[in-house]
Amino acid sequence: MLRIMRPIPVESLKLLVFDLDGTLIDSAQDLCNSVNATLTHFGRAPLADEIIAGYIGNGALTLVRRAFDADGVALDDAELEQAYAFFLDYYRIHNLDFTYAYDGVLEALAALRTMHGAPGSATRAMAVLTNKPVRPARAICEALGLAPNFLNIYGGNSFSSKKPDPQGMFALMQEANARPEETVMIGDSQVDVQTARNAGAWCIGCTFGLQPQSLEAYPPDILVDSPIGWTAALSPAKVGIRT
């Protein structure tokens, strides 16, 4: 089902930019396990998975900082650097223990590729823009068979600023020769909506992700309940419920 707040001019779109965690993949368990391994290594008590999941979305450094701040005892800069380094090392080894692509993602991406060649539609590129560090982001996309779909995969350390700063979006627009009004961001959180708005692009929100509750305060142009909803939302023949 689609919930359309503002119709997107799908025929003119040239660039589809996907978030990664909570949009293409469910990585929550591996992230939670890596955070708790880090907390334990530094003598802190582990946190419940649902608490850690609420910290995901603004990059790995912020995730680690929030987890250590949870008991009210913040790290100084040197301690945070050590904890962050441990987290990255642990996560690089364990980032595919439980992580998987959501049901329907590969099929939806294949359908979107086919749709790109539809008569009357603009030629479209697809890309990933995540706040996850770029090395694990690309490794996960390769391992799960997602990477061949994308013009590029950029992470939180690919540029001098992370989402919701639009720097990464502008870089992808330049690569795809797309204007803001020809671009749509697809993600599961307010960070993705804010990124799209800051870049002057359209936005599709995913209610099946890790932080769909944040979309209530920052509504996208269209809400979808599953990856197959992307094809419906981006088809010239899309149907939905306006709210």
Side-chain angles (χ1 to χ4, degrees):
M1 180 183 295
L2 306 182
R3 279 155 285 178
I4 302 175
M5 278 63 78
R6 189 169 64 144
I8 295 176
V10 296
E11 293 87 352
S12 62
L13 293 178
K14 290 185 178 180
L15 176 62
L16 315 180
V17 182
F18 292 85
D19 175 48
L20 185 59
D21 300 281
T23 301
L24 295 170
I25 63 171
D26 186 338
S27 55
Q29 192 62 62
D30 287 331
L31 287 168
C32 291
N33 291 350
S34 298
V35 166
N36 276 331
T38 306
L39 290 169
T40 300
H41 180 79
F42 287 91
R44 300 288 187 94
L47 298 173
D49 288 352
E50 56 267 24
I51 293 176
I52 298 172
Y55 300 153
I56 297 171
N58 291 95
L61 181 62
T62 300
L63 172 62
V64 172
R65 180 190 294 115
R66 288 174 174 173
F68 275 87
D69 287 351
D71 64 2
V73 182
L75 298 175
D76 62 31
D77 290 343
E79 291 170 332
L80 178 60
E81 183 177 348
Q82 292 174 354
Y84 180 53
F86 181 92
F87 170 85
L88 289 179
D89 288 342
Y90 187 95
Y91 185 63
R92 287 190 186 106
I93 298 171
H94 296 280
N95 60 35
L96 284 165
D97 288 356
F98 298 98
T99 293
Y100 61 92
Y102 285 113
D103 288 344
V105 162
L106 289 170
E107 294 82 358
L109 292 176
L112 288 170
R113 284 203 314 272
T114 302
M115 193 182 301
H116 296 176
S121 295
T123 300
R124 297 178 188 166
M126 296 192 292
V128 171
L129 180 62
T130 173
N131 278 342
K132 180 191 292 295
V134 67
R135 286 180 60 189
R138 288 178 173 169
I140 290 170
C141 287
E142 288 282 354
L144 298 181
L146 300 170
N149 295 287
F150 302 121
L151 168 70
N152 217 327
I153 298 167
Y154 286 133
N157 56 345
S158 294
F159 305 99
S160 61
S161 58
K162 300 179 178 66
K163 297 185 299 182
D165 189 282
Q167 184 180 13
M169 288 285 283
F170 289 145
L172 286 167
M173 289 179 199
Q174 185 175 16
E175 291 178 18
N177 193 28
R179 299 190 301 271
E181 64 270 22
E182 297 169 330
T183 303
V184 61
M185 177 87 208
I186 301 169
D188 71 304
S189 76
Q190 70 179 58
V191 173
D192 301 307
V193 178
Q194 290 172 314
T195 303
R197 301 294 182 237
N198 291 340
W202 304 92
C203 187
I204 295 175
C206 305
T207 64
F208 55 86
L210 300 179
Q211 296 193 37
Q213 69 280 358
S214 69
L215 298 176
E216 296 177 8
Y218 294 85
D221 299 303
I222 296 178
L223 279 170
V224 301
D225 297 326
S226 68
I228 202 64
W230 304 333
T231 59
L234 296 170
S235 167
K238 64 184 181 299
V239 294
I241 299 174
R242 293 183 183 275
T243 58

